[in-house]
Amino acid sequence: MSTTFNLDLWVREARREPFRFTLADAEYSMPSAGEIDKSILETVNVVNPSTADITTLLRTGLGDQWERFNALPLPLAAVGELFRQWQNYEGAPLGEFPASADS
């Protein structure tokens, strides 16, 4: 019996429905935060993100929708709440994994 962990299988089974929100009567969707490619780790601090990191993460998550989203006026508190709701949708803040040894 093989005890090799199949990460490909885990990724396929862990896929979640996109996170959806509305703003100015338009619907937006982003992949759950945990589905963003690991390459983002080279450019942002996901454990303690700065405002620039949050912008990068939202831009990445929104993809083609970023320009439309970014063109709208939005209070900073609302951006922070959007980021928190996106993290909560995943079930754990970015940088914190449910099965981590420190949990």
Side-chain angles (χ1 to χ4, degrees), residues 59-96:
R59 180 188 303 258
T60 301
L62 284 165
D64 296 348
Q65 305 162 100
W66 172 254
E67 293 302 323
R68 179 172 46 122
F69 171 82
N70 195 41
L72 297 169
L74 193 61
L76 288 178
V79 174
E81 185 59 24
L82 172 62
F83 188 69
R84 278 188 289 283
Q85 291 296 322
W86 186 33
Q87 287 179 305
N88 290 340
Y89 180 77
E90 180 66 23
L94 289 171
E96 294 183 21

Side-chain angles (χ1 to χ4, degrees), residues 21-66:
F21 68 96
T22 59
L23 176 63
D25 297 322
E27 184 173 304
Y28 296 84
S29 67
M30 298 189 286
S32 62
E35 289 191 23
I36 292 179
D37 188 73
K38 68 176 175 53
S39 63
I40 198 80
L41 294 173
E42 296 173 7
T43 58
V44 299
N45 179 342
V46 295
V47 175
N48 188 19
S50 68
T51 54
D53 294 337
I54 290 170
T55 299
T56 298
L57 288 162
L58 289 173
R59 180 188 303 258
T60 301
L62 284 165
D64 296 348
Q65 305 162 100
W66 172 254

